[in-house]
Amino acid sequence: MRNEEISLNTKQELSAALKWTMEKKPLSKITVSELVRTCDINRNTFYYHFNDIYDLLKWTFEQEAIEVVKKINLLVNTEEAIRFVLDYVDKNQHIIRCAYDSIGYGELKRFFYADMVGIVRHAIDGAEREATIKLPADFKEFLSEFFTEALAGMMINWVHSPKKQTKEEIVQNLMIVLQTTLSQLIR
């Protein structure tokens, strides 16, 4: 095995150990000692890869965001992509809640932003094609940022507060908002 593969495997092991531990306790109570014990590695190995536990959490979110975005790019439509992200969020609620309590709303929103921006751009491109109109690049960028901020905020609120809506209701509401507002804005 090459050094890069070994390094990636070690990072992934630490990430899995962090996620597993986050199911049981708040992030602020998790120690490097616990994680290295779980992975059967030494502290120096941890610090070779990460500055601290928050650095590991950030890496974990970035890696998962990359995987989510890769899969979203393969999906055919906006609704399917939104469902995919909501499923991810639903499966990882405990980690997201724990991260929210530790790193706050802003940092967590940046994680969701990476996932949602691709979905929004896909929806805008579809609305452009449907209307046979080409939007100015700066307005298209504005729309992408505007809707991405809204969607990322909705994801965090859905996880962090008691669920007032089912996943299906959120998907339907988001699709109504995206389809009606985008088509009107583009026209």
Side-chain angles (χ1 to χ4, degrees):
M1 209 183 276
R2 296 183 326 207
N3 285 343
E4 296 90 32
E5 290 173 29
I6 294 169
S7 179
L8 180 61
N9 286 343
T10 301
K11 288 178 177 181
Q12 289 170 335
E13 265 187 69
L14 287 164
S15 176
L18 177 63
K19 287 174 70 173
W20 181 78
T21 308
M22 286 172 76
E23 290 182 30
K24 294 158 186 46
K25 59 178 20 177
L27 188 62
S28 60
K29 302 281 187 204
I30 299 172
T31 65
V32 170
S33 297
E34 281 178 278
L35 298 178
V36 297
R37 234 185 349 266
T38 301
C39 296
D40 196 27
I41 61 173
N42 64 47
R43 289 178 69 82
N44 289 339
T45 301
F46 178 90
Y47 287 111
Y48 174 78
H49 296 291
F50 301 105
N51 295 325
D52 55 25
I53 290 176
Y54 294 98
D55 192 27
L56 170 58
L57 178 64
K58 183 179 178 216
W59 184 86
T60 299
F61 278 156
E62 286 169 355
Q63 293 305 300
E64 291 186 357
I66 289 166
E67 289 307 309
V68 169
V69 169
K70 279 184 199 170
K71 289 182 177 108
I72 286 172
N73 289 339
L74 300 174
L75 301 176
V76 268
N77 65 43
T78 304
E79 185 173 340
E80 187 179 358
I82 289 171
R83 281 183 201 289
F84 181 81
V85 172
L86 279 170
D87 287 341
Y88 171 83
V89 167
D90 204 23
K91 282 190 275 189
N92 292 283
Q93 286 183 47
H94 65 282
I95 296 161
I96 295 166
R97 280 190 188 122
C98 189
Y100 181 94
D101 293 340
S102 298
I103 62 176
Y105 179 84
E107 193 66 33
L108 193 55
K109 190 167 77 171
R110 276 190 276 285
F111 166 69
F112 283 114
Y113 193 95
D115 293 344
M116 300 310 295
V117 74
I119 294 171
V120 170
R121 285 191 182 133
H122 182 73
I124 292 169
D125 291 343
E128 270 184 322
R129 278 191 304 280
E130 192 176 296
T132 61
I133 294 174
K134 185 76 176 148
L135 292 175
D138 59 338
F139 185 62
K140 196 171 176 176
E141 186 63 29
F142 169 80
L143 288 176
S144 293
E145 289 177 17
F146 179 81
F147 283 106
T148 299
E149 287 287 327
L151 292 174
M154 289 296 303
M155 295 291 163
I156 293 169
N157 290 340
W158 184 63
V159 169
H160 190 63
S161 46
K163 294 193 174 55
K164 297 177 181 134
Q165 295 182 315
T166 66
K167 193 180 339 178
E168 191 57 36
E169 289 170 328
I170 288 179
V171 169
Q172 294 309 313
N173 290 340
L174 289 175
M175 289 306 297
I176 289 168
V177 168
L178 281 174
Q179 289 169 342
T180 57
T181 57
L182 280 178
S183 64
Q184 289 301 313
L185 284 167
I186 288 174
R187 286 190 176 98

